[in-house]
Amino acid sequence: MAVRRGATPRAGTGTAILPIGPEFAGIDLFRPLADAKRYDVIYVAAAQPYKRHDILCDALAQLPGVSALCVFGYGDLAEPLRERAAREWLPIDFVGPPSVSFAEVNLLMNAARIGVVCVSTTARRRS
Protein backbone atom coordinates (compact mmCIF):
# COMPACT_ATOMS: atom_id res chain seq x y z
CA MET A 1 0.00 0.00 0.00
CA ALA A 2 1.35 3.41 -0.94
CA VAL A 3 1.06 5.96 1.84
CA ARG A 4 1.90 9.62 1.41
CA ARG A 5 4.62 11.12 3.59
CA GLY A 6 3.14 12.13 6.93
CA ALA A 7 0.21 9.72 6.64
CA THR A 8 -0.24 6.81 8.99
CA PRO A 9 -1.93 3.61 7.79
CA ARG A 10 -4.81 2.57 10.01
CA ALA A 11 -4.35 -1.02 11.17
CA GLY A 12 -6.24 -3.53 9.06
CA THR A 13 -8.06 -1.00 6.87
CA GLY A 14 -5.58 0.07 4.23
CA THR A 15 -6.72 3.64 4.91
CA ALA A 16 -4.21 6.40 5.47
CA ILE A 17 -5.03 8.81 8.26
CA LEU A 18 -3.51 12.18 7.40
CA PRO A 19 -2.32 14.39 10.23
CA ILE A 20 -4.31 17.63 10.37
CA GLY A 21 -2.59 20.34 12.33
CA PRO A 22 -2.88 24.05 12.91
CA GLU A 23 -1.57 24.71 9.37
CA PHE A 24 -4.79 23.27 7.95
CA ALA A 25 -7.50 23.48 10.62
CA GLY A 26 -7.56 25.05 14.04
CA ILE A 27 -7.94 22.30 16.63
CA ASP A 28 -9.61 24.79 18.94
CA LEU A 29 -12.30 25.54 16.31
CA PHE A 30 -13.18 22.08 15.00
CA ARG A 31 -14.13 19.40 17.48
CA PRO A 32 -16.41 16.37 17.68
CA LEU A 33 -20.00 16.86 18.77
CA ALA A 34 -22.59 14.23 19.61
CA ASP A 35 -24.76 15.25 16.64
CA ALA A 36 -26.72 12.90 14.39
CA LYS A 37 -24.95 12.01 11.15
CA ARG A 38 -27.05 13.10 8.15
CA TYR A 39 -24.30 12.53 5.57
CA ASP A 40 -21.76 9.82 4.95
CA VAL A 41 -19.05 12.15 3.62
CA ILE A 42 -18.15 15.83 3.91
CA TYR A 43 -15.64 17.75 1.83
CA VAL A 44 -14.80 21.29 2.96
CA ALA A 45 -12.77 22.98 0.23
CA ALA A 46 -12.67 25.89 -2.15
CA ALA A 47 -14.51 25.29 -5.43
CA GLN A 48 -11.27 25.41 -7.39
CA PRO A 49 -9.81 22.89 -9.87
CA TYR A 50 -6.80 21.99 -7.67
CA LYS A 51 -9.18 20.76 -4.95
CA ARG A 52 -10.25 17.91 -7.30
CA HIS A 53 -13.97 17.71 -6.52
CA ASP A 54 -14.15 15.52 -9.64
CA ILE A 55 -12.62 12.69 -7.60
CA LEU A 56 -15.46 12.92 -5.08
CA CYS A 57 -18.10 13.06 -7.84
CA ASP A 58 -16.55 10.06 -9.63
CA ALA A 59 -16.50 8.06 -6.39
CA LEU A 60 -20.10 8.90 -5.48
CA ALA A 61 -21.24 7.85 -8.95
CA GLN A 62 -19.96 4.36 -8.09
CA LEU A 63 -21.28 4.20 -4.52
CA PRO A 64 -25.08 3.97 -4.46
CA GLY A 65 -26.60 5.02 -1.17
CA VAL A 66 -23.62 7.14 -0.06
CA SER A 67 -24.46 10.80 0.50
CA ALA A 68 -22.13 13.78 0.63
CA LEU A 69 -22.02 17.41 1.67
CA CYS A 70 -19.64 19.88 -0.02
CA VAL A 71 -18.93 23.15 1.75
CA PHE A 72 -17.33 25.89 -0.39
CA GLY A 73 -15.75 29.02 0.99
CA TYR A 74 -15.14 30.51 -2.45
CA GLY A 75 -14.42 29.39 -5.97
CA ASP A 76 -15.34 29.44 -9.63
CA LEU A 77 -16.47 25.82 -9.86
CA ALA A 78 -19.45 25.99 -7.49
CA GLU A 79 -22.08 26.20 -10.24
CA PRO A 80 -20.46 23.63 -12.59
CA LEU A 81 -20.22 21.18 -9.66
CA ARG A 82 -23.86 21.73 -8.75
CA GLU A 83 -24.80 21.20 -12.40
CA ARG A 84 -22.82 17.96 -12.62
CA ALA A 85 -24.39 16.63 -9.44
CA ALA A 86 -27.89 17.42 -10.75
CA ARG A 87 -27.18 16.03 -14.24
CA GLU A 88 -25.74 12.75 -12.88
CA TRP A 89 -28.20 12.46 -9.96
CA LEU A 90 -25.33 12.47 -7.47
CA PRO A 91 -26.41 12.59 -3.80
CA ILE A 92 -24.46 15.73 -2.95
CA ASP A 93 -25.75 18.76 -1.07
CA PHE A 94 -23.80 22.00 -1.42
CA VAL A 95 -23.28 24.93 0.96
CA GLY A 96 -21.73 28.18 -0.24
CA PRO A 97 -20.18 30.21 -1.57
CA PRO A 98 -20.17 32.60 0.19
CA SER A 99 -18.37 31.10 3.11
CA VAL A 100 -19.93 30.14 6.40
CA SER A 101 -18.69 30.84 9.91
CA PHE A 102 -16.20 28.53 11.61
CA ALA A 103 -18.90 27.54 14.10
CA GLU A 104 -21.24 26.54 11.27
CA VAL A 105 -18.45 24.60 9.52
CA ASN A 106 -17.91 22.68 12.76
CA LEU A 107 -21.63 21.83 12.92
CA LEU A 108 -21.64 20.75 9.27
CA MET A 109 -18.51 18.63 9.73
CA ASN A 110 -20.18 16.88 12.62
CA ALA A 111 -23.17 16.05 10.42
CA ALA A 112 -21.02 13.55 8.44
CA ARG A 113 -19.49 10.21 9.30
CA ILE A 114 -16.16 10.98 7.59
CA GLY A 115 -14.34 13.90 6.04
CA VAL A 116 -12.35 13.54 2.84
CA VAL A 117 -9.52 15.41 1.15
CA CYS A 118 -9.33 14.90 -2.60
CA VAL A 119 -6.34 17.06 -3.50
CA SER A 120 -3.10 15.55 -4.73
CA THR A 121 -1.14 18.34 -3.05
CA THR A 122 -2.00 20.68 -0.18
CA ALA A 123 -0.13 23.61 -1.68
CA ARG A 124 -1.94 25.86 -4.12
CA ARG A 125 0.03 26.74 -7.21
CA ARG A 126 0.99 30.39 -7.22
CA SER A 127 1.05 32.31 -10.51
Side-chain angles (χ1 to χ4, degrees), residues 26-47:
I27 57 174
D28 56 330
L29 298 173
F30 304 110
R31 63 200 170 288
L33 303 172
D35 295 353
K37 307 303 181 200
R38 297 173 292 158
Y39 298 96
D40 296 302
V41 175
I42 186 168
Y43 189 27
V44 180

PDB file of all heavy atoms in Angstrom, residues 26-47:
ATOM      1  N   GLY A  26      -7.785  24.735  12.634  1.00  0.00           N
ATOM      2  CA  GLY A  26      -7.558  25.050  14.035  1.00  0.00           C
ATOM      3  C   GLY A  26      -8.212  24.020  14.947  1.00  0.00           C
ATOM      4  O   GLY A  26      -9.423  23.841  14.905  1.00  0.00           O
ATOM      5  N   ILE A  27      -7.401  23.333  15.750  1.00  0.00           N
ATOM      6  CA  ILE A  27      -7.939  22.299  16.629  1.00  0.00           C
ATOM      7  C   ILE A  27      -8.836  22.875  17.714  1.00  0.00           C
ATOM      8  O   ILE A  27      -9.632  22.160  18.318  1.00  0.00           O
ATOM      9  CB  ILE A  27      -6.820  21.430  17.243  1.00  0.00           C
ATOM     10  CG1 ILE A  27      -5.833  22.302  18.007  1.00  0.00           C
ATOM     11  CG2 ILE A  27      -6.129  20.626  16.161  1.00  0.00           C
ATOM     12  CD1 ILE A  27      -4.770  21.534  18.766  1.00  0.00           C
ATOM     13  N   ASP A  28      -8.736  24.171  17.954  1.00  0.00           N
ATOM     14  CA  ASP A  28      -9.611  24.794  18.935  1.00  0.00           C
ATOM     15  C   ASP A  28     -10.961  25.181  18.319  1.00  0.00           C
ATOM     16  O   ASP A  28     -11.917  25.469  19.040  1.00  0.00           O
ATOM     17  CB  ASP A  28      -8.945  26.020  19.551  1.00  0.00           C
ATOM     18  CG  ASP A  28      -8.523  27.036  18.509  1.00  0.00           C
ATOM     19  OD1 ASP A  28      -8.207  26.633  17.368  1.00  0.00           O
ATOM     20  OD2 ASP A  28      -8.499  28.234  18.835  1.00  0.00           O
ATOM     21  N   LEU A  29     -11.056  25.169  16.983  1.00  0.00           N
ATOM     22  CA  LEU A  29     -12.297  25.542  16.305  1.00  0.00           C
ATOM     23  C   LEU A  29     -13.136  24.329  15.896  1.00  0.00           C
ATOM     24  O   LEU A  29     -14.355  24.393  15.884  1.00  0.00           O
ATOM     25  CB  LEU A  29     -11.984  26.364  15.044  1.00  0.00           C
ATOM     26  CG  LEU A  29     -11.282  27.688  15.276  1.00  0.00           C
ATOM     27  CD1 LEU A  29     -10.878  28.304  13.948  1.00  0.00           C
ATOM     28  CD2 LEU A  29     -12.182  28.634  16.049  1.00  0.00           C
ATOM     29  N   PHE A  30     -12.483  23.259  15.521  1.00  0.00           N
ATOM     30  CA  PHE A  30     -13.179  22.084  15.000  1.00  0.00           C
ATOM     31  C   PHE A  30     -13.024  20.925  15.960  1.00  0.00           C
ATOM     32  O   PHE A  30     -11.931  20.485  16.241  1.00  0.00           O
ATOM     33  CB  PHE A  30     -12.639  21.738  13.613  1.00  0.00           C
ATOM     34  CG  PHE A  30     -12.735  22.894  12.666  1.00  0.00           C
ATOM     35  CD1 PHE A  30     -11.599  23.548  12.230  1.00  0.00           C
ATOM     36  CD2 PHE A  30     -13.970  23.353  12.237  1.00  0.00           C
ATOM     37  CE1 PHE A  30     -11.693  24.637  11.375  1.00  0.00           C
ATOM     38  CE2 PHE A  30     -14.071  24.430  11.379  1.00  0.00           C
ATOM     39  CZ  PHE A  30     -12.930  25.076  10.946  1.00  0.00           C
ATOM     40  N   ARG A  31     -14.156  20.454  16.474  1.00  0.00           N
ATOM     41  CA  ARG A  31     -14.134  19.399  17.485  1.00  0.00           C
ATOM     42  C   ARG A  31     -15.361  18.516  17.324  1.00  0.00           C
ATOM     43  O   ARG A  31     -16.387  18.951  16.812  1.00  0.00           O
ATOM     44  CB  ARG A  31     -14.085  20.015  18.863  1.00  0.00           C
ATOM     45  CG  ARG A  31     -15.329  20.840  19.160  1.00  0.00           C
ATOM     46  CD  ARG A  31     -15.133  21.839  20.286  1.00  0.00           C
ATOM     47  NE  ARG A  31     -16.254  22.748  20.388  1.00  0.00           N
ATOM     48  CZ  ARG A  31     -16.542  23.727  19.550  1.00  0.00           C
ATOM     49  NH1 ARG A  31     -15.802  23.931  18.501  1.00  0.00           N
ATOM     50  NH2 ARG A  31     -17.575  24.512  19.735  1.00  0.00           N
ATOM     51  N   PRO A  32     -15.258  17.283  17.777  1.00  0.00           N
ATOM     52  CA  PRO A  32     -16.409  16.371  17.680  1.00  0.00           C
ATOM     53  C   PRO A  32     -17.574  16.825  18.552  1.00  0.00           C
ATOM     54  O   PRO A  32     -17.385  17.351  19.642  1.00  0.00           O
ATOM     55  CB  PRO A  32     -15.853  15.040  18.192  1.00  0.00           C
ATOM     56  CG  PRO A  32     -14.373  15.183  18.173  1.00  0.00           C
ATOM     57  CD  PRO A  32     -14.073  16.640  18.309  1.00  0.00           C
ATOM     58  N   LEU A  33     -18.759  16.625  18.033  1.00  0.00           N
ATOM     59  CA  LEU A  33     -19.995  16.864  18.769  1.00  0.00           C
ATOM     60  C   LEU A  33     -20.826  15.588  18.699  1.00  0.00           C
ATOM     61  O   LEU A  33     -20.629  14.759  17.829  1.00  0.00           O
ATOM     62  CB  LEU A  33     -20.780  18.031  18.151  1.00  0.00           C
ATOM     63  CG  LEU A  33     -20.052  19.373  18.056  1.00  0.00           C
ATOM     64  CD1 LEU A  33     -20.872  20.358  17.250  1.00  0.00           C
ATOM     65  CD2 LEU A  33     -19.757  19.921  19.440  1.00  0.00           C
ATOM     66  N   ALA A  34     -21.759  15.444  19.583  1.00  0.00           N
ATOM     67  CA  ALA A  34     -22.593  14.232  19.607  1.00  0.00           C
ATOM     68  C   ALA A  34     -23.819  14.397  18.714  1.00  0.00           C
ATOM     69  O   ALA A  34     -24.905  13.957  19.044  1.00  0.00           O
ATOM     70  CB  ALA A  34     -23.007  13.937  21.040  1.00  0.00           C
ATOM     71  N   ASP A  35     -23.639  15.003  17.551  1.00  0.00           N
ATOM     72  CA  ASP A  35     -24.755  15.254  16.635  1.00  0.00           C
ATOM     73  C   ASP A  35     -25.073  14.022  15.790  1.00  0.00           C
ATOM     74  O   ASP A  35     -24.209  13.185  15.533  1.00  0.00           O
ATOM     75  CB  ASP A  35     -24.425  16.420  15.708  1.00  0.00           C
ATOM     76  CG  ASP A  35     -24.280  17.741  16.451  1.00  0.00           C
ATOM     77  OD1 ASP A  35     -24.577  17.772  17.662  1.00  0.00           O
ATOM     78  OD2 ASP A  35     -23.863  18.723  15.822  1.00  0.00           O
ATOM     79  N   ALA A  36     -26.313  13.959  15.316  1.00  0.00           N
ATOM     80  CA  ALA A  36     -26.720  12.896  14.393  1.00  0.00           C
ATOM     81  C   ALA A  36     -25.990  13.074  13.066  1.00  0.00           C
ATOM     82  O   ALA A  36     -25.721  14.199  12.635  1.00  0.00           O
ATOM     83  CB  ALA A  36     -28.227  12.949  14.176  1.00  0.00           C
ATOM     84  N   LYS A  37     -25.661  11.980  12.425  1.00  0.00           N
ATOM     85  CA  LYS A  37     -24.946  12.010  11.151  1.00  0.00           C
ATOM     86  C   LYS A  37     -25.950  11.934  10.005  1.00  0.00           C
ATOM     87  O   LYS A  37     -26.574  10.911   9.771  1.00  0.00           O
ATOM     88  CB  LYS A  37     -23.952  10.850  11.059  1.00  0.00           C
ATOM     89  CG  LYS A  37     -22.990  10.753  12.228  1.00  0.00           C
ATOM     90  CD  LYS A  37     -22.191  12.021  12.421  1.00  0.00           C
ATOM     91  CE  LYS A  37     -21.216  11.895  13.568  1.00  0.00           C
ATOM     92  NZ  LYS A  37     -20.767  13.153  14.093  1.00  0.00           N
ATOM     93  N   ARG A  38     -26.108  13.040   9.278  1.00  0.00           N
ATOM     94  CA  ARG A  38     -27.046  13.100   8.146  1.00  0.00           C
ATOM     95  C   ARG A  38     -26.387  12.751   6.831  1.00  0.00           C
ATOM     96  O   ARG A  38     -27.064  12.471   5.851  1.00  0.00           O
ATOM     97  CB  ARG A  38     -27.662  14.494   8.047  1.00  0.00           C
ATOM     98  CG  ARG A  38     -28.495  14.865   9.268  1.00  0.00           C
ATOM     99  CD  ARG A  38     -28.933  16.303   9.200  1.00  0.00           C
ATOM    100  NE  ARG A  38     -27.736  17.143   9.346  1.00  0.00           N
ATOM    101  CZ  ARG A  38     -27.630  18.400   8.948  1.00  0.00           C
ATOM    102  NH1 ARG A  38     -28.635  18.993   8.363  1.00  0.00           N
ATOM    103  NH2 ARG A  38     -26.516  19.081   9.135  1.00  0.00           N
ATOM    104  N   TYR A  39     -25.063  12.807   6.790  1.00  0.00           N
ATOM    105  CA  TYR A  39     -24.298  12.526   5.574  1.00  0.00           C
ATOM    106  C   TYR A  39     -23.253  11.461   5.863  1.00  0.00           C
ATOM    107  O   TYR A  39     -22.793  11.315   6.987  1.00  0.00           O
ATOM    108  CB  TYR A  39     -23.589  13.795   5.078  1.00  0.00           C
ATOM    109  CG  TYR A  39     -24.530  14.900   4.696  1.00  0.00           C
ATOM    110  CD1 TYR A  39     -24.843  15.909   5.606  1.00  0.00           C
ATOM    111  CD2 TYR A  39     -25.128  14.936   3.445  1.00  0.00           C
ATOM    112  CE1 TYR A  39     -25.715  16.931   5.270  1.00  0.00           C
ATOM    113  CE2 TYR A  39     -26.004  15.948   3.100  1.00  0.00           C
ATOM    114  CZ  TYR A  39     -26.295  16.942   4.014  1.00  0.00           C
ATOM    115  OH  TYR A  39     -27.167  17.948   3.682  1.00  0.00           O
ATOM    116  N   ASP A  40     -22.857  10.772   4.810  1.00  0.00           N
ATOM    117  CA  ASP A  40     -21.761   9.816   4.948  1.00  0.00           C
ATOM    118  C   ASP A  40     -20.412  10.525   4.850  1.00  0.00           C
ATOM    119  O   ASP A  40     -19.478  10.191   5.571  1.00  0.00           O
ATOM    120  CB  ASP A  40     -21.863   8.744   3.849  1.00  0.00           C
ATOM    121  CG  ASP A  40     -23.128   7.931   3.997  1.00  0.00           C
ATOM    122  OD1 ASP A  40     -23.324   7.325   5.067  1.00  0.00           O
ATOM    123  OD2 ASP A  40     -23.946   7.927   3.058  1.00  0.00           O
ATOM    124  N   VAL A  41     -20.320  11.507   3.949  1.00  0.00           N
ATOM    125  CA  VAL A  41     -19.050  12.149   3.621  1.00  0.00           C
ATOM    126  C   VAL A  41     -19.219  13.670   3.611  1.00  0.00           C
ATOM    127  O   VAL A  41     -20.253  14.167   3.165  1.00  0.00           O
ATOM    128  CB  VAL A  41     -18.580  11.702   2.214  1.00  0.00           C
ATOM    129  CG1 VAL A  41     -17.324  12.437   1.787  1.00  0.00           C
ATOM    130  CG2 VAL A  41     -18.376  10.208   2.161  1.00  0.00           C
ATOM    131  N   ILE A  42     -18.195  14.378   4.069  1.00  0.00           N
ATOM    132  CA  ILE A  42     -18.150  15.828   3.914  1.00  0.00           C
ATOM    133  C   ILE A  42     -16.807  16.199   3.309  1.00  0.00           C
ATOM    134  O   ILE A  42     -15.781  15.581   3.610  1.00  0.00           O
ATOM    135  CB  ILE A  42     -18.368  16.583   5.245  1.00  0.00           C
ATOM    136  CG1 ILE A  42     -18.460  18.093   4.984  1.00  0.00           C
ATOM    137  CG2 ILE A  42     -17.294  16.253   6.252  1.00  0.00           C
ATOM    138  CD1 ILE A  42     -18.946  18.909   6.166  1.00  0.00           C
ATOM    139  N   TYR A  43     -16.854  17.199   2.426  1.00  0.00           N
ATOM    140  CA  TYR A  43     -15.643  17.753   1.834  1.00  0.00           C
ATOM    141  C   TYR A  43     -15.725  19.266   1.965  1.00  0.00           C
ATOM    142  O   TYR A  43     -16.611  19.891   1.400  1.00  0.00           O
ATOM    143  CB  TYR A  43     -15.507  17.341   0.376  1.00  0.00           C
ATOM    144  CG  TYR A  43     -14.177  17.701  -0.263  1.00  0.00           C
ATOM    145  CD1 TYR A  43     -13.024  17.838   0.488  1.00  0.00           C
ATOM    146  CD2 TYR A  43     -14.077  17.882  -1.623  1.00  0.00           C
ATOM    147  CE1 TYR A  43     -11.811  18.153  -0.090  1.00  0.00           C
ATOM    148  CE2 TYR A  43     -12.861  18.199  -2.224  1.00  0.00           C
ATOM    149  CZ  TYR A  43     -11.734  18.326  -1.455  1.00  0.00           C
ATOM    150  OH  TYR A  43     -10.533  18.646  -2.033  1.00  0.00           O
ATOM    151  N   VAL A  44     -14.840  19.841   2.756  1.00  0.00           N
ATOM    152  CA  VAL A  44     -14.795  21.286   2.961  1.00  0.00           C
ATOM    153  C   VAL A  44     -13.592  21.791   2.176  1.00  0.00           C
ATOM    154  O   VAL A  44     -12.447  21.508   2.537  1.00  0.00           O
ATOM    155  CB  VAL A  44     -14.663  21.651   4.454  1.00  0.00           C
ATOM    156  CG1 VAL A  44     -14.607  23.156   4.641  1.00  0.00           C
ATOM    157  CG2 VAL A  44     -15.795  21.030   5.268  1.00  0.00           C
ATOM    158  N   ALA A  45     -13.858  22.516   1.087  1.00  0.00           N
ATOM    159  CA  ALA A  45     -12.767  22.979   0.231  1.00  0.00           C
ATOM    160  C   ALA A  45     -13.257  24.068  -0.707  1.00  0.00           C
ATOM    161  O   ALA A  45     -14.445  24.131  -1.032  1.00  0.00           O
ATOM    162  CB  ALA A  45     -12.220  21.814  -0.594  1.00  0.00           C
ATOM    163  N   ALA A  46     -12.345  24.879  -1.148  1.00  0.00           N
ATOM    164  CA  ALA A  46     -12.669  25.888  -2.151  1.00  0.00           C
ATOM    165  C   ALA A  46     -13.131  25.198  -3.431  1.00  0.00           C
ATOM    166  O   ALA A  46     -12.684  24.093  -3.749  1.00  0.00           O
ATOM    167  CB  ALA A  46     -11.430  26.740  -2.452  1.00  0.00           C
ATOM    168  N   ALA A  47     -14.019  25.832  -4.150  1.00  0.00           N
ATOM    169  CA  ALA A  47     -14.512  25.291  -5.426  1.00  0.00           C
ATOM    170  C   ALA A  47     -13.535  25.680  -6.534  1.00  0.00           C
ATOM    171  O   ALA A  47     -13.836  26.472  -7.419  1.00  0.00           O
ATOM    172  CB  ALA A  47     -15.921  25.799  -5.704  1.00  0.00           C
TER     173      ALA A  47
END
